[in-house]
Amino acid sequence: MNGMSLIRPLSPRNALTWSWLLVWSLVAFIWAFAEAVWFFIMVDVLISLAVMRFGVLRAMVPTLAALIGALLGGIVLYQWAQVNPETVRAFILTVPGITEELADEPLGALFLGGFTGVPFKIFAATAYEAGIAPLQEFLQPASMARLSRFVAVVAVSGVLRFLLYTRLRRVGLMRLTLFIWVVFYAWFGYVFWNIV
């Protein structure tokens, strides 16, 4: 194996793709952290766009970053709730779509409404008070809930990409995905938040 390297340098095109993947992953991490703590627009928007832009396998990089960000945000709320549960509850109730009734059902909110972006905050903020301790006991269901949702988003987006790629190509798929999310949030805002 004279002069041959086991690690081949990336082509300029692949290097650019991986550079963009790292940027998308950083954004996914920050977005998922913000969603876990307060932000109400799901990081699923970015994950589905990543699938359309990079394909299913490469989109797993920002998806993993989103999972880590979401869990870290959940840990922040969980730890905060140990110190001052009343403040965390008041903070969570400022998020659009969260009501007192939702805030009183942490496990139900986590599993029944895992696709709204709202319930994970409730679970993280109320888990300690509900007797879910130590931290590992919180992380187990939290990880499963986040991972299952993100995998579902990647799977659905991957199927759409597979079915429509030859007709729409990458840019068309990203536009379609954005359009679907705008329609979803317009409907969601009208039905649940009364803001449209």
Side-chain angles (χ1 to χ4, degrees), residues 39 43 48 54 63 78 92 97-98 126 131 142 146 150 152:
F39 194 51
V43 72
S48 59
F54 300 106
T63 302
Y78 181 85
I92 289 299
I98 292 186
T126 59
R146 294 294 87 180
F150 293 163

PDB file of all heavy atoms in Angstrom, residues 39 43 48 54 63 78 92 97-98 126 131 142 146 150 152:
ATOM      1  N   PHE A  39     -39.196  27.911  23.065  1.00  0.00           N
ATOM      2  CA  PHE A  39     -39.599  28.171  21.683  1.00  0.00           C
ATOM      3  C   PHE A  39     -40.680  27.199  21.252  1.00  0.00           C
ATOM      4  O   PHE A  39     -40.662  26.034  21.622  1.00  0.00           O
ATOM      5  CB  PHE A  39     -38.376  28.059  20.771  1.00  0.00           C
ATOM      6  CG  PHE A  39     -38.547  28.620  19.388  1.00  0.00           C
ATOM      7  CD1 PHE A  39     -39.033  29.904  19.191  1.00  0.00           C
ATOM      8  CD2 PHE A  39     -38.208  27.859  18.281  1.00  0.00           C
ATOM      9  CE1 PHE A  39     -39.174  30.425  17.922  1.00  0.00           C
ATOM     10  CE2 PHE A  39     -38.342  28.377  17.010  1.00  0.00           C
ATOM     11  CZ  PHE A  39     -38.829  29.659  16.822  1.00  0.00           C
ATOM     12  N   VAL A  43     -38.344  21.972  15.901  1.00  0.00           N
ATOM     13  CA  VAL A  43     -37.114  21.776  15.142  1.00  0.00           C
ATOM     14  C   VAL A  43     -37.339  20.799  13.983  1.00  0.00           C
ATOM     15  O   VAL A  43     -36.528  20.698  13.071  1.00  0.00           O
ATOM     16  CB  VAL A  43     -35.974  21.304  16.080  1.00  0.00           C
ATOM     17  CG1 VAL A  43     -36.197  19.861  16.526  1.00  0.00           C
ATOM     18  CG2 VAL A  43     -34.614  21.465  15.404  1.00  0.00           C
ATOM     19  N   SER A  48     -36.772  18.220   8.593  1.00  0.00           N
ATOM     20  CA  SER A  48     -37.383  17.830   7.314  1.00  0.00           C
ATOM     21  C   SER A  48     -36.704  18.539   6.147  1.00  0.00           C
ATOM     22  O   SER A  48     -36.497  17.944   5.088  1.00  0.00           O
ATOM     23  CB  SER A  48     -38.891  18.104   7.327  1.00  0.00           C
ATOM     24  OG  SER A  48     -39.151  19.469   7.567  1.00  0.00           O
ATOM     25  N   PHE A  54     -30.120  17.293   2.017  1.00  0.00           N
ATOM     26  CA  PHE A  54     -28.939  16.429   2.071  1.00  0.00           C
ATOM     27  C   PHE A  54     -29.222  14.946   1.853  1.00  0.00           C
ATOM     28  O   PHE A  54     -28.298  14.167   1.657  1.00  0.00           O
ATOM     29  CB  PHE A  54     -28.242  16.574   3.433  1.00  0.00           C
ATOM     30  CG  PHE A  54     -27.771  17.965   3.731  1.00  0.00           C
ATOM     31  CD1 PHE A  54     -28.433  18.748   4.650  1.00  0.00           C
ATOM     32  CD2 PHE A  54     -26.662  18.487   3.094  1.00  0.00           C
ATOM     33  CE1 PHE A  54     -28.013  20.034   4.933  1.00  0.00           C
ATOM     34  CE2 PHE A  54     -26.222  19.775   3.358  1.00  0.00           C
ATOM     35  CZ  PHE A  54     -26.900  20.554   4.283  1.00  0.00           C
ATOM     36  N   THR A  63     -30.051  15.750  12.816  1.00  0.00           N
ATOM     37  CA  THR A  63     -31.069  15.116  13.660  1.00  0.00           C
ATOM     38  C   THR A  63     -30.475  14.718  15.011  1.00  0.00           C
ATOM     39  O   THR A  63     -31.089  14.937  16.061  1.00  0.00           O
ATOM     40  CB  THR A  63     -31.673  13.894  12.950  1.00  0.00           C
ATOM     41  OG1 THR A  63     -32.236  14.311  11.704  1.00  0.00           O
ATOM     42  CG2 THR A  63     -32.742  13.222  13.792  1.00  0.00           C
ATOM     43  N   TYR A  78     -35.532  20.568  33.967  1.00  0.00           N
ATOM     44  CA  TYR A  78     -35.635  19.576  35.046  1.00  0.00           C
ATOM     45  C   TYR A  78     -34.867  20.036  36.286  1.00  0.00           C
ATOM     46  O   TYR A  78     -35.382  19.983  37.403  1.00  0.00           O
ATOM     47  CB  TYR A  78     -35.096  18.235  34.535  1.00  0.00           C
ATOM     48  CG  TYR A  78     -35.167  17.117  35.546  1.00  0.00           C
ATOM     49  CD1 TYR A  78     -36.325  16.366  35.699  1.00  0.00           C
ATOM     50  CD2 TYR A  78     -34.066  16.812  36.342  1.00  0.00           C
ATOM     51  CE1 TYR A  78     -36.387  15.333  36.627  1.00  0.00           C
ATOM     52  CE2 TYR A  78     -34.124  15.789  37.273  1.00  0.00           C
ATOM     53  CZ  TYR A  78     -35.281  15.053  37.409  1.00  0.00           C
ATOM     54  OH  TYR A  78     -35.343  14.033  38.331  1.00  0.00           O
ATOM     55  N   ILE A  92     -43.210  28.323  31.971  1.00  0.00           N
ATOM     56  CA  ILE A  92     -43.781  27.422  30.964  1.00  0.00           C
ATOM     57  C   ILE A  92     -45.156  27.902  30.516  1.00  0.00           C
ATOM     58  O   ILE A  92     -45.530  27.778  29.348  1.00  0.00           O
ATOM     59  CB  ILE A  92     -43.857  25.980  31.525  1.00  0.00           C
ATOM     60  CG1 ILE A  92     -42.463  25.393  31.637  1.00  0.00           C
ATOM     61  CG2 ILE A  92     -44.730  25.080  30.684  1.00  0.00           C
ATOM     62  CD1 ILE A  92     -41.720  25.279  30.326  1.00  0.00           C
ATOM     63  N   GLY A  97     -49.998  28.139  23.700  1.00  0.00           N
ATOM     64  CA  GLY A  97     -50.550  26.794  23.579  1.00  0.00           C
ATOM     65  C   GLY A  97     -50.508  25.975  24.850  1.00  0.00           C
ATOM     66  O   GLY A  97     -51.123  24.921  24.924  1.00  0.00           O
ATOM     67  N   ILE A  98     -49.775  26.433  25.860  1.00  0.00           N
ATOM     68  CA  ILE A  98     -49.714  25.685  27.115  1.00  0.00           C
ATOM     69  C   ILE A  98     -50.735  26.261  28.082  1.00  0.00           C
ATOM     70  O   ILE A  98     -50.764  27.462  28.339  1.00  0.00           O
ATOM     71  CB  ILE A  98     -48.302  25.707  27.729  1.00  0.00           C
ATOM     72  CG1 ILE A  98     -47.351  24.923  26.848  1.00  0.00           C
ATOM     73  CG2 ILE A  98     -48.327  25.126  29.135  1.00  0.00           C
ATOM     74  CD1 ILE A  98     -45.970  24.755  27.410  1.00  0.00           C
ATOM     75  N   THR A 126     -42.049  19.539  34.944  1.00  0.00           N
ATOM     76  CA  THR A 126     -42.859  18.980  36.034  1.00  0.00           C
ATOM     77  C   THR A 126     -42.448  17.570  36.445  1.00  0.00           C
ATOM     78  O   THR A 126     -43.024  17.018  37.386  1.00  0.00           O
ATOM     79  CB  THR A 126     -44.351  18.960  35.632  1.00  0.00           C
ATOM     80  OG1 THR A 126     -44.499  18.174  34.443  1.00  0.00           O
ATOM     81  CG2 THR A 126     -44.873  20.373  35.396  1.00  0.00           C
ATOM     82  N   GLY A 131     -42.276  13.102  40.797  1.00  0.00           N
ATOM     83  CA  GLY A 131     -41.567  11.979  41.392  1.00  0.00           C
ATOM     84  C   GLY A 131     -40.665  11.235  40.429  1.00  0.00           C
ATOM     85  O   GLY A 131     -40.210  10.132  40.732  1.00  0.00           O
ATOM     86  N   ALA A 142     -37.625  10.769  28.151  1.00  0.00           N
ATOM     87  CA  ALA A 142     -37.387  11.980  27.358  1.00  0.00           C
ATOM     88  C   ALA A 142     -36.648  11.636  26.068  1.00  0.00           C
ATOM     89  O   ALA A 142     -37.005  12.107  24.976  1.00  0.00           O
ATOM     90  CB  ALA A 142     -36.585  12.993  28.175  1.00  0.00           C
ATOM     91  N   ARG A 146     -38.265  12.125  22.261  1.00  0.00           N
ATOM     92  CA  ARG A 146     -37.617  12.977  21.251  1.00  0.00           C
ATOM     93  C   ARG A 146     -37.146  12.147  20.062  1.00  0.00           C
ATOM     94  O   ARG A 146     -37.371  12.527  18.917  1.00  0.00           O
ATOM     95  CB  ARG A 146     -36.405  13.705  21.841  1.00  0.00           C
ATOM     96  CG  ARG A 146     -36.702  14.711  22.899  1.00  0.00           C
ATOM     97  CD  ARG A 146     -37.477  15.897  22.389  1.00  0.00           C
ATOM     98  NE  ARG A 146     -38.905  15.620  22.433  1.00  0.00           N
ATOM     99  CZ  ARG A 146     -39.856  16.448  22.051  1.00  0.00           C
ATOM    100  NH1 ARG A 146     -39.548  17.621  21.569  1.00  0.00           N
ATOM    101  NH2 ARG A 146     -41.117  16.120  22.116  1.00  0.00           N
ATOM    102  N   PHE A 150     -38.320  12.521  16.113  1.00  0.00           N
ATOM    103  CA  PHE A 150     -37.355  12.912  15.089  1.00  0.00           C
ATOM    104  C   PHE A 150     -37.216  11.837  14.014  1.00  0.00           C
ATOM    105  O   PHE A 150     -37.116  12.138  12.825  1.00  0.00           O
ATOM    106  CB  PHE A 150     -35.997  13.226  15.713  1.00  0.00           C
ATOM    107  CG  PHE A 150     -35.987  14.443  16.601  1.00  0.00           C
ATOM    108  CD1 PHE A 150     -34.954  14.651  17.499  1.00  0.00           C
ATOM    109  CD2 PHE A 150     -37.012  15.385  16.550  1.00  0.00           C
ATOM    110  CE1 PHE A 150     -34.928  15.775  18.317  1.00  0.00           C
ATOM    111  CE2 PHE A 150     -37.004  16.511  17.375  1.00  0.00           C
ATOM    112  CZ  PHE A 150     -35.950  16.705  18.249  1.00  0.00           C
ATOM    113  N   ALA A 152     -39.538   9.730  13.130  1.00  0.00           N
ATOM    114  CA  ALA A 152     -40.767   9.788  12.328  1.00  0.00           C
ATOM    115  C   ALA A 152     -40.688  10.909  11.291  1.00  0.00           C
ATOM    116  O   ALA A 152     -41.076  10.730  10.136  1.00  0.00           O
ATOM    117  CB  ALA A 152     -41.978   9.989  13.237  1.00  0.00           C
TER     118      ALA A 152
END
